[in-house]
Amino acid sequence: MRVLPGISAADVDYESVVAYHRHGTAIRRAPYLIAFACVLLLVKTGADLATVRGAGFRPTVLLVSAAVTAALALWWLRGRMPGRYGSVAFVAVADIVVLAPLVMLPPSSVIVVQSVLLLAVGNYASAFHGLRVYLVHSILVLGATTALVLRALAVGSESLVVVAATAVVVAFVVYGGSTLNHVFFTQLRDDAVRAYHDQLTGLRNRLGLLVDVEKQIHDAAGTPVAVSILCIDLDAFKSINDRHGHAAGDEVLRRAAGRIAAVAGDAVSARTGGEEFALVVVGVGDPGPQMASALLDAIHRPDDPTPVTASIGVATVPLPDGRVDTRDLLDTVLASADRAMYEAKRCGGHRAAVATGDDAHCL
């Protein structure tokens, strides 16, 4: 069930955030900017290698860090944002490749200052992930910077005042900057999520439906699958508002949305209009009629405070070969499913009808 997460949710809809920003130029350039940042880190690691040469330090960790950083740069140069778990893995690996050289280099205030590099990783975590990822990153940074400060003090090559002042500045920059950015990115991310969800029911809206179906079609490329759309309209919904009030009508919509999402499973469910919903399945076969029957049973329960029935139209088309314009495909199949839905209403409501070409017949 894909619903709108709360503002303070520990997890966020990563795919919605990426899709939202993809409409602007920033997200399309982001992979290349991150790759450039990795190259800069690689240059710094090379300078670190030159610094420790002949100083009795084994360069193994620095060499491994350099190799991983180079691999990350190449990974981002593909020009694509990773999936959610790939993105979380990037945060973890980036933290490690930034910290590992700092731990291996001779302790000093300069090394403590270099931990500011972790601010960039924190900003990425704030921009694309929820509070949980950001907190794990912050705890790791706190532990690492504390260890670096203690190492610098233990060596005794610099005064306590210098090390303490350096630590305060680093803490202010890393935590102050990351926290402010987290607040900013959280608001931006919430706007991104809201752009793809219906505020009343938490289901996808029309734009969210398009984004999700586009992703499913992309994942199914090269596979002989079909696109099935179920157009669901609640029967006599206006009379519920007239008799019981809009608050009761809103509750009916939320209840119906939850039951539609429960039946949908991995399929994409959305609210497309006032009392109209859509369910899209991209897969093998034609599960539409079976899902329509399950939806009719799920939506109508006589013991509800305000029972409601639904009319459902089903339309299925094979996914064309080659490049697909998802918006045009959705509009075409939705129009067929909508005609079938009105045929179900003409059959008395609480029925399903299947589109066959320009006609439709009730089940």
Side-chain angles (χ1 to χ4, degrees):
M1 177 179 175
R2 307 280 304 268
V3 297
L4 177 65
I7 290 177
S8 60
D11 292 314
V12 300
D13 194 335
Y14 172 82
E15 286 78 13
S16 286
V17 174
V18 172
Y20 175 82
H21 291 297
R22 190 178 289 125
H23 292 291
T25 57
I27 194 67
R28 292 197 292 269
R29 296 172 181 169
Y32 302 106
L33 293 175
I34 297 171
F36 180 67
C38 290
V39 171
L40 293 180
L41 181 60
L42 186 61
V43 172
K44 176 203 166 291
T45 306
D48 291 337
L49 281 166
T51 301
V52 300
R53 181 177 295 174
F57 286 86
R58 291 187 176 182
T60 306
V61 172
L62 293 177
L63 290 171
V64 172
S65 178
V68 173
T69 304
L72 288 176
L74 292 173
W75 188 55
W76 283 106
L77 280 173
R78 301 175 306 158
R80 299 195 304 271
M81 292 297 293
R84 179 186 176 191
Y85 294 110
S87 181
V88 173
F90 168 72
V91 173
V93 173
D95 277 337
I96 293 171
V97 297
V98 170
L99 282 172
L102 302 184
V103 173
M104 295 304 299
L105 292 170
S108 68
S109 294
V110 174
I111 297 302
V112 176
V113 170
Q114 289 185 22
S115 62
V116 170
L117 293 169
L118 292 164
L119 175 63
V121 184
N123 287 343
Y124 177 91
S126 296
F128 294 103
H129 296 285
L131 184 62
R132 183 178 293 119
V133 175
Y134 174 72
L135 284 179
V136 171
H137 163 80
S138 298
I139 291 170
L140 176 63
V141 172
L142 177 62
T145 52
T146 301
L148 293 174
V149 168
L150 292 177
R151 286 178 68 227
L153 288 173
V155 171
S157 59
E158 295 174 329
S159 68
L160 174 62
V161 174
V162 172
V163 175
T166 303
V168 169
V169 171
V170 169
F172 177 78
V173 172
V174 173
Y175 288 100
S178 289
T179 301
L180 288 174
N181 283 329
H182 181 69
V183 172
F184 169 75
F185 284 129
T186 295
Q187 184 60 52
L188 190 63
R189 190 172 56 238
D190 290 338
D191 289 342
V193 172
R194 288 191 180 98
Y196 291 91
H197 290 83
D198 171 61
Q199 298 301 295
L200 177 65
T201 64
L203 294 181
R204 298 286 182 173
N205 56 21
R206 281 185 173 271
L207 184 57
L209 177 70
L210 173 64
V211 169
D212 264 19
V213 173
E214 195 171 49
K215 182 177 183 302
Q216 290 199 2
I217 289 176
H218 178 269
D219 293 342
T223 307
V225 297
V227 177
S228 297
I229 296 184
L230 287 76
C231 186
I232 307 153
D233 189 87
L234 302 185
D235 297 325
F237 181 75
K238 184 178 182 299
S239 66
I240 294 176
N241 279 334
D242 293 342
R243 294 201 318 267
H244 303 285
H246 289 284
D250 288 349
E251 180 57 33
V252 168
L253 290 171
R254 283 191 289 265
R255 186 167 60 238
R259 292 172 182 175
I260 290 170
V263 172
D266 294 333
V268 185
S269 53
R271 183 187 178 200
T272 55
E275 66 271 21
E276 192 168 309
F277 302 85
L279 192 155
V280 182
V281 185
V282 179
V284 179
D286 183 10
Q290 184 177 354
M291 294 193 79
S293 177
L295 284 167
L296 291 173
D297 293 338
I299 292 171
H300 177 64
R301 296 182 186 174
D303 57 344
D304 282 341
T306 47
V308 66
T309 61
S311 297
I312 302 176
V314 182
T316 302
V317 297
L319 186 64
D321 295 329
R323 188 176 181 84
V324 177
D325 187 317
T326 307
R327 187 184 296 275
D328 287 348
L329 179 66
L330 269 181
D331 288 345
T332 301
V333 186
L334 265 173
S336 296
D338 195 60
R339 288 195 299 271
M341 180 269 293
Y342 280 107
E343 179 64 24
K345 285 189 178 295
R346 284 190 287 270
C347 289
H350 193 37
R351 297 283 297 272
V354 177
T356 52
D358 294 331
D359 297 322
H361 65 277
C362 292
L363 298 176

